């Protein structure tokens, strides 16, 4: 076990050293703005079309403008990061869109990134002093590396074999295994039992998402037999939770570029300089339709073909062949406090639109009762903008009854932490998401009489 300890936490030490020496993306002078948008206009698409500039001399793509939070009908404010050299152009684009009120949320995003980094190094050193001997020692209230997440799931499946099975879902472009856990009540799992599926980490920089997924794994196993709601939902459903489905992107966001969003696939026949695709635009159902982006450098690039990303190909295969009776599917993202249901590719409503909205309403109420925080809900296309090639459209097409892409915290806050949400918020965000899933599960039981 001591050797194991060295193996796990040794990685943390190497990580610190590597990062001190490695060249990292620098966002000095980048400003995060918030402004009100007419959601019926195309001003966000217009802004997004400028997102990356390719410098063929240095062979790098530089971020000019980056939409961090899309406006929705309930909350028509956009959060947008702007490079210093793009500021004049940005202001003229806003003027032509008749947007005049602009609020600075963060004057220098790099200082926020630096502060987060210092806290992480401090935490990594602190954790090295304590061995992870049992799954219950796992500190769910910090942001972990991919190796630490994997080690937690491995320990959990070894120490709770009657309840937890570690599953391998896919292999990433850089060769990392994408793992998850299947959780069921003690004893053999029942075939054809309905299931709740949760994935997280699709977008690399949205760190709160995998942290919340890990928090929920620990909470379900820990509170089974103690917490009546957790117990009831595990008796009704098997839970499949995949906390980190884009490990290459995630590790890159930890070590090289905090704002990395995409996968890390390299496709030199398409583009020599730009890496990765948006993993939530790469699903095959209605791939490349409304809202699709065909520019490989873009942060929302749909990929060279459907399922070009091995992570998404693996998830599709797993969801199709290994999960027999999916009842609820949740994909965790950040940020904006939203529960987004299908469709993404069209404004048309799904057949079970009303039932999905009813469940979302109950979930939002459960969140409110738990932490007092407000989440809005609606379909992707009606609340914000069309998006094609998403996992939630795939799952709707597959016939899963309850599907939500969740934008976690934060939203409005005097200190807008955006993607750099401090780890002290993991517990509250995890508790409220657990309450939301319990509410959706309870609704499913009520409606389907499971
Ligand atoms: Zn996302």
């Amino acid at each position: 076990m001591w050797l194991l300890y060295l193996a796990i936490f040794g990685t943390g030490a190497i990580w610190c050293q590597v990062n001190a020496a490695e060249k990292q993306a620098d966002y000095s002078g980048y400003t995060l703005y918030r402004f009100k948008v007419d959601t019926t206009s195309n001003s966000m698409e217009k802004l997004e079309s400028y997102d990356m500039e390719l410098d063929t001399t240095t062979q790098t793509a530089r971020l000019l403008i980056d939409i961090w939070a899309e406006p929705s009908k309930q909350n028509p404010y956009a959060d947008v990061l702007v490079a210093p050299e793009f500021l004049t152009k940005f202001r003229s684009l806003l003027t032509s869109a008749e947007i005049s009120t602009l609020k600075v949320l963060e004057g220098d995003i790099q200082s926020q990134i630096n502060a987060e980094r210092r806290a992480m190094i401090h935490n990594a050193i602190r954790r090295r002093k304590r061995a992870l001997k049992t799954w219950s020692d796992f500190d769910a209230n910090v942001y972990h590396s991919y190796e630490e997440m994997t080690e937690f799931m491995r320990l959990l499946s070894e120490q709770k074999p009657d309840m937890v099975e570690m599953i391998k879902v896919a292999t990433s472009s850089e060769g990392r295994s994408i793992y998850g856990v299947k959780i069921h009540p003690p004893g053999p799992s029942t075939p054809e039992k309905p299931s709740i599926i949760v994935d997280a980490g699709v977008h690399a920089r949205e760190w709160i998402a995998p942290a919340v997924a890990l928090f929920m794994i620990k909470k379900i196993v820990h509170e089974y037999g103690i917490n009546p709601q957790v117990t009831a939902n595990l008796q009704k459903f098997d839970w499949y939770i995949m906390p980190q489905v884009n490990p290459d992107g995630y590790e890159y966001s930890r070590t090289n570029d905090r704002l990395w969003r995409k996968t890390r696939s390299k496709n030199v026949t398409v583009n020599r300089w730009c890496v990765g695709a948006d993993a939530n635009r790469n699903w095959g159902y209605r791939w490349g339709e409304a809202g699709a982006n065909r520019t490989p450098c873009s942060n929302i690039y749909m990929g060279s073909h459907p399922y070009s990303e091995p992570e998404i190909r693996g998830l599709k295969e797993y969801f199709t062949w290994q999960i027999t009776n999916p009842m609820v599917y949740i994909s965790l993202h950040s940020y904006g406090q939203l529960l987004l249901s299908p469709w993404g590719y069209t404004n048309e409503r799904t057949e079970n639109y009303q039932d999905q909205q009813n469940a979302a309403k109950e979930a939002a109420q459960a969140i409110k009762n738990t932490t007092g925080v407000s989440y809005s809900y609606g379909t992707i296309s009606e609340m914000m903008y069309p998006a094609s090639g998403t996992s939630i459209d795939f799952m709707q097409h597959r016939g899963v009854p309850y599907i939500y892409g969740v934008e976690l915290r934060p939203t409005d806050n005097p200190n807008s932490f955006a993607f750099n949400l401090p780890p002290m918020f993991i517990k509250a965000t995890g508790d409220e998401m657990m309450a939301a899933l319990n509410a959706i599960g309870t609704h499913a039981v009520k409606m389907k009489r499971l």
Side-chain angles (χ1 to χ4, degrees):
M1 192 52 82
W2 189 76
L3 274 176
L4 177 67
Y5 168 46
L6 268 183
I8 306 159
F9 294 98
T11 317
I14 292 162
W15 180 84
C16 294
Q17 285 159 15
V18 166
N19 283 291
E22 225 167 276
K23 189 169 163 29
Q24 289 168 28
D26 183 6
Y27 294 97
S28 296
Y30 279 67
T31 306
L32 182 63
Y33 290 101
R34 178 171 291 173
F35 52 90
K36 195 173 181 181
V37 186
D38 170 7
T39 48
T40 58
S41 76
N42 67 345
S43 35
M44 296 312 290
E45 282 103 318
K46 214 167 177 180
L47 285 174
E48 192 137 56
S49 66
Y50 291 93
D51 68 344
M52 288 282 178
E53 183 181 55
L54 183 62
D55 183 337
T56 47
T57 320
T58 59
Q59 301 188 348
T60 52
R62 179 165 161 96
L63 191 67
L64 293 182
I65 186 161
D66 195 10
I67 296 167
W68 281 19
E70 293 273 357
S72 64
K73 291 213 170 82
Q74 277 103 329
N75 181 26
Y77 289 88
D79 288 1
V80 173
L81 186 74
V82 184
E85 70 271 26
F86 193 68
L87 201 50
T88 311
K89 176 77 181 167
F90 171 66
R91 284 187 177 279
S92 81
L93 287 167
L94 290 194
T95 308
S96 55
E98 295 178 358
I99 295 165
S100 51
T101 328
L102 201 59
K103 184 179 164 194
V104 173
L105 288 185
E106 178 60 56
D108 179 18
I109 208 71
Q110 187 61 42
S111 62
Q112 204 174 63
I113 293 171
N114 293 343
E116 180 187 66
R117 189 163 202 87
R118 282 192 298 274
M120 275 177 65
I121 291 171
H122 175 79
N123 270 330
I125 292 166
R126 185 175 59 83
R127 285 206 305 281
R128 280 213 312 276
K129 292 178 185 156
R130 288 196 299 138
L132 188 66
K133 288 183 184 146
T134 70
W135 66 272
S136 55
D137 283 343
F138 180 76
D139 184 357
N141 296 302
V142 295
Y143 294 119
H144 288 278
S145 68
Y146 160 79
E147 282 81 8
E148 289 168 345
M149 293 177 188
T150 303
E151 185 54 22
F152 165 62
M153 289 189 277
R154 194 185 64 73
L155 269 180
L156 184 61
S157 63
E158 283 175 9
Q159 294 172 353
K160 282 285 204 183
D162 55 336
M163 285 182 78
V164 181
E165 185 189 325
M166 191 166 176
I167 53 177
K168 184 181 165 182
V169 180
T171 304
S172 71
S173 293
E174 292 177 353
R176 292 182 178 89
S177 294
I178 295 169
Y179 294 111
V181 287
K182 177 184 177 183
I183 314 175
H184 54 82
S189 72
T190 322
E192 298 296 319
K193 192 176 165 189
S195 54
I196 293 177
I197 307 165
V198 179
D199 69 30
V202 177
H203 292 142
R205 63 194 181 184
E206 300 166 4
W207 289 5
I208 185 65
V212 161
L214 290 161
F215 180 92
M216 292 201 303
I217 293 172
K218 191 176 173 186
K219 189 177 171 87
I220 293 167
V221 178
H222 190 248
E223 295 189 0
Y224 179 77
I226 301 168
N227 178 328
Q229 263 203 323
V230 168
T231 308
N233 264 312
L234 194 58
Q235 282 164 349
K236 291 286 181 194
F237 301 98
D238 284 346
W239 289 63
Y240 292 85
I241 305 182
M242 285 135 283
Q244 185 46 263
V245 300
N246 178 11
D248 298 351
Y250 181 69
E251 284 303 305
Y252 192 74
S253 80
R254 285 170 57 85
T255 56
N256 293 68
D257 183 347
R258 179 61 185 88
L259 301 182
W260 190 258
R261 169 181 164 100
K262 298 194 282 182
T263 60
R264 294 292 302 161
S265 58
K266 292 176 184 68
N267 188 343
V268 290
T269 57
V270 175
N271 187 289
R272 281 167 58 198
W273 298 288
C274 294
V275 174
D278 184 337
N280 203 30
R281 299 291 185 276
N282 193 238
W283 289 79
Y285 183 70
R286 300 282 176 169
W287 177 84
E289 296 192 15
N293 187 303
R294 291 170 171 75
T295 316
C297 295
S298 169
N299 253 341
I300 54 166
Y301 174 50
M302 63 186 190
S304 57
H305 54 274
Y307 305 114
S308 59
E309 306 311 288
E311 297 84 354
I312 300 310
R313 206 158 56 236
L315 282 171
K316 188 253 292 181
E317 293 295 317
Y318 196 88
F319 290 168
T320 305
W321 303 111
Q322 304 295 329
I323 303 182
T324 46
N325 190 5
M327 187 60 59
V328 180
Y329 169 68
I330 303 287
S331 189
L332 297 175
H333 292 253
S334 76
Y335 58 91
Q337 296 172 204
L338 300 165
L339 303 165
L340 298 167
S341 49
W343 299 106
Y345 80 98
T346 173
N347 285 322
E348 279 174 34
R349 291 182 169 181
T350 59
E351 275 173 26
N352 56 336
Y353 168 85
Q354 201 50 56
D355 190 31
Q356 286 180 339
Q357 298 311 303
N358 292 345
K361 187 180 179 184
E362 287 171 28
Q365 190 56 52
I367 291 171
K368 191 104 191 166
N369 295 345
T370 305
T371 55
V373 162
S374 296
Y375 277 62
S376 305
Y377 55 90
T379 71
I380 293 188
S381 52
E382 77 184 7
M383 285 193 75
M384 18 194 12
Y385 55 93
S388 302
T390 66
S391 62
I392 71 166
D393 279 4
F394 170 85
M395 289 303 223
Q396 178 70 26
H397 179 63
R398 219 208 128 181
V400 181
Y402 300 99
I403 302 169
Y404 305 94
V406 179
E407 299 285 358
L408 297 165
R409 293 191 192 196
T411 177
D412 210 10
N413 188 310
N415 307 305
S416 186
F417 297 112
F419 298 120
N420 306 93
L421 189 68
M424 63 180 281
F425 291 102
I426 294 171
K427 184 184 182 312
T429 316
D431 279 335
E432 69 201 18
M433 204 35 54
M434 197 68 225
L437 271 160
N438 283 332
I440 296 166
T442 305
H443 179 90
V445 171
K446 192 172 71 192
M447 296 305 294
K448 305 277 167 184
R449 297 182 174 84
L450 301 174

